[in-house]
Amino acid sequence: MTGWAVAAQAASSEQMPDRLRLGVVVAADETARERVEPFRLAMEDIVDLPVDLFLLDTLGDAIESLVEGKVDYVRLSPSAYAAAHRICGCVEPLVTAGPDDFPARFYAILVSKRGPQNTSLEDLKGTRLAVGNKHAVAAYRVPLANLAADGVNARSHFQTLVEVQNPVEGLKAILDGRVQAALAWSSLAGEAKNGFTAGTLNDYYVSGAKGFSDLEIVWRSPPIPYSAHAVAKSLPDALKRRLRAGLMDLRREAPAAYLAIEPDLPGGFEPVVHADYRPVLRTYEDEYAKVLARD
C-alpha cells in the first residue's frame, strides 16, 4: 500500500462518496483516454476510491459539468475557474501547476518605451494603448479590470485603445511609434535582461528583434495562477485535503501521472485558494463590466 493509501485510511471518518468523477478537457485529442490514464490511476491511489473518467470537449463543457454536479474534479484555466465561480459559487481550487521551479504565477503587465526616468501611468495619460481582443485574458480583460481596481479607467485615462493581433505586435507598435504603451504578460521570474523566463517580453527577446532594451514595465497586475485544479465545494473536507496533499507530491511520486495532466506545465503543483484568483475573478464582476465592454 502506498503512502497515499495509508494517509487515506487515517483520514477523517467524514462520509465519503462511493467514487470520484474526474473530468478532463480533451478537445480533438483522440488518444486522450489513454494519455490521462496514469493520472486517473494515481488519483485512485490518492483518494482510495474508484475514479471514473469523463472526457469533455471544451472548457465550456468542463464548467457546465462541474457546476451541474456531473463531475467532481476538473482542471480549468484561471478564467474558466472564475466563470464557474460566477455561475454558482460552488467550486473550489486545490492546486495550480507551474512551468518551472519558480512560483507558479504569471502577471498581466503594461509596457512602455523607456525614458530618461521611470515612466508612470500618469505620464501615459492621453496616449495610445495597444490591447488584445475582448476575449484576451492577459492582454485585455485582466489588465483593464485590475487597472480599474487600482483607480485607473483605461477608457478615460488613455486617448484610445488600439487592438493589435497579439502582445508581441503591441511591443512592436510601441517601438515604431504607433502606440505609447501596450498590454502583455510575463512570469516576472528569472532575469529581466532576458525578458524573464516566459511571456511577451521573453518572446520578443528570443526573436532577436531590435529595441528590447528600450522597453520597460510600467504596471503589473497581482499574480495569477497558471491553472486551477478545481473540485465541487460540496465534497467532504477530508477528501479535499487528501486530494491536495496527494497532488502536491505527484510530480515526485509519479512524474508520468503528473505530466499526463499537466504536459505544458512541468514545474509541479502548488496549493491555491479562491483568493489567489482575485485578478481574474474581477473580470466577471459587474463593477468592471463597463471598462471591459467593447464599442
Side-chain angles (χ1 to χ4, degrees):
M1 183 179 293
T2 68
W4 291 330
V6 171
Q9 287 189 348
S12 166
S13 60
E14 184 178 6
Q15 183 63 41
M16 294 289 171
D18 294 332
R19 55 207 318 111
L20 187 75
R21 297 166 300 173
L22 166 66
V24 174
V25 178
V26 299
D29 183 1
E30 296 180 357
T31 66
R33 186 173 293 277
E34 178 182 355
R35 175 178 60 80
V36 301
E37 181 64 5
F39 181 70
R40 189 194 68 79
L41 292 173
M43 290 284 282
E44 286 193 334
D45 205 4
I46 290 170
V47 300
D48 197 26
L49 291 170
V51 174
D52 300 327
L53 178 61
F54 293 81
L55 301 181
L56 307 167
D57 289 336
T58 67
L59 277 172
D61 294 330
I63 293 170
E64 179 181 342
S65 296
L66 189 58
V67 167
E68 294 184 357
K70 296 176 182 177
V71 299
D72 304 306
Y73 177 116
V74 69
R75 180 203 184 278
L76 298 172
S77 68
S79 188
Y81 171 75
H85 180 266
R86 169 74 173 184
I87 294 170
C88 69
C90 59
V91 298
E92 180 178 344
L94 297 179
V95 296
T96 186
D100 45 43
D101 290 329
F102 291 99
R105 304 292 190 274
F106 69 96
Y107 300 77
I109 57 174
L110 188 149
V111 180
S112 182
K113 196 168 184 178
R114 191 180 304 277
Q117 296 181 338
N118 289 340
T119 304
S120 68
L121 284 172
E122 187 61 27
D123 294 331
L124 293 170
K125 191 170 184 177
T127 63
R128 296 164 63 85
L129 174 68
V131 301
N133 68 58
K134 66 180 181 180
H135 302 297
V137 175
Y140 186 83
R141 293 179 58 81
V142 165
L144 263 61
N146 285 272
L147 279 165
D150 289 345
V152 177
N153 183 322
R155 294 191 172 279
S156 57
H157 187 85
F158 293 93
Q159 179 188 56
T160 186
L161 306 185
V162 180
E163 184 173 330
V164 292
Q165 185 176 2
N166 55 60
V168 170
E169 181 63 25
L171 300 188
K172 293 177 181 177
I174 293 172
L175 294 170
D176 67 23
R178 283 178 285 156
V179 301
Q180 287 69 54
L183 299 178
W185 77 276
S186 177
S187 66
L188 296 184
E191 296 194 29
K193 67 180 182 180
N194 298 332
F196 303 101
T197 59
T200 313
L201 291 170
N202 181 261
D203 291 341
Y204 192 81
Y205 175 82
V206 170
S207 75
K210 295 180 179 179
F212 173 78
S213 61
D214 294 329
L215 299 169
E216 68 172 332
I217 297 172
V218 176
W219 172 90
R220 67 183 66 182
S221 73
I224 306 163
Y226 281 92
S227 61
H229 285 250
V231 297
K233 191 180 289 187
S234 59
L235 285 181
D237 289 341
L239 181 56
K240 287 183 281 191
R241 289 193 296 269
R242 190 185 306 172
L243 274 167
R244 180 180 278 117
L247 291 167
M248 291 288 293
D249 291 338
L250 190 61
R251 185 177 69 156
R252 183 184 71 250
E253 297 285 348
Y258 174 86
L259 291 173
I261 195 66
E262 287 286 8
D264 299 322
L265 295 171
F269 287 127
E270 295 180 15
V272 286
V273 295
H274 177 72
D276 291 324
Y277 295 87
R278 182 69 177 134
V280 187
L281 291 164
R282 285 192 174 109
T283 68
Y284 289 92
E285 295 176 2
D286 295 339
E287 182 179 356
Y288 306 105
K290 287 186 178 180
V291 75
L292 293 176
R294 294 301 286 261
D295 299 330

